[in-house]
Amino acid sequence: MLCRSDDLARDFFARRGGDSLGVGFFSGLCTRFSRIDNGAMTWVDVEHGDVAHLLADAQPMNERHRVSSCCSIACTGWMRHLEGAPQPTLLVVQGGLVGSERNFLESFLTAASKSLPAGSEILADFDARAPLRPRGKSLEALNAEEAWVRYPRLRFVPTDEYSIHLERRIAGMNGIARLFKGRGMPALAHLRVA
């Protein structure tokens, strides 16, 4: 997941402009900002309280890299960072959706649908326990009641928009995830807000 997310994040900032905003959810002691920083982007790491404090203390001060805390992926406090921030936005969710309760996934997708401006993108791990699928031009996800919920503003980014290199990497890793039915290797959803 790490390389795929980094490659797609670099691609996002190259396509959308260097001064866009990236938000990483529950990536742990991740150094993504330092790996992909183009000198103009803004990045916010959103973590559980203890991890957020550890990250804030461990990283060098940088006005373009902030750390915020929230209780879970269903928490919507992170949205305050979107007000007045450079647009569009990239959300990277590693681990926050895999194995989480479906109502958390539903809360996250609903908040992202309502809050993110058009053109924003989401990179999210998911597995067979919380499946995502395209339905026409919309995204659908299973909720806690085993019903498919449609998110009309969210859709998968078409693979023909990727470079050949990115398309092959993502197809290969998602193929392995399908082979093992998500056990130990989640699939990656690359979504765009319409």
Side-chain angles (χ1 to χ4, degrees), residues 45-77:
D45 281 309
V46 179
E47 289 290 345
H48 295 288
D50 292 341
V51 177
H53 291 304
L54 179 62
L55 275 175
D57 290 343
Q59 70 183 1
M61 293 298 290
N62 188 320
E63 63 188 26
R64 294 181 297 103
H65 185 196
R66 296 173 284 204
V67 178
S68 181
S69 64
C70 72
C71 55
S72 75
I73 199 69
C75 176
T76 57

Side-chain angles (χ1 to χ4, degrees), residues 18 28 40 48 52-53 77-78 81 89 94 97 99 106 113 132 147 160 173 183:
H48 295 288
H53 291 304
W78 58 271
H81 289 288
T89 300
Q94 284 185 274
L97 299 178
E106 188 174 3
S113 294
L132 304 174
D160 63 0
M173 296 305 286
R183 293 185 300 265

Side-chain angles (χ1 to χ4, degrees), residues 92-158:
V92 180
V93 187
Q94 284 185 274
L97 299 178
V98 175
S100 67
E101 297 177 29
R102 287 189 186 156
N103 61 336
F104 285 15
L105 173 64
E106 188 174 3
S107 294
F108 174 79
L109 292 174
T110 299
S113 294
K114 289 179 178 178
S115 303
L116 294 173
S120 295
E121 296 180 15
I122 301 169
L123 303 175
D125 287 345
F126 71 100
D127 63 20
R129 292 168 292 192
L132 304 174
R133 71 180 187 190
R135 175 65 93 193
K137 290 191 175 187
S138 299
L139 171 77
E140 286 189 340
L142 268 182
N143 68 11
E145 290 79 33
E146 300 289 325
W148 288 98
V149 177
R150 184 173 287 189
Y151 299 91
R153 290 194 67 221
L154 299 178
R155 54 200 59 175
F156 283 90
V157 172

Side-chain angles (χ1 to χ4, degrees), residues 170-193:
I170 293 165
M173 296 305 286
N174 282 348
I176 292 170
R178 280 192 303 275
L179 179 67
F180 290 99
K181 296 181 176 50
R183 293 185 300 265
M185 167 106 24
L188 175 68
H190 184 191
L191 308 171
R192 181 173 294 140
V193 181

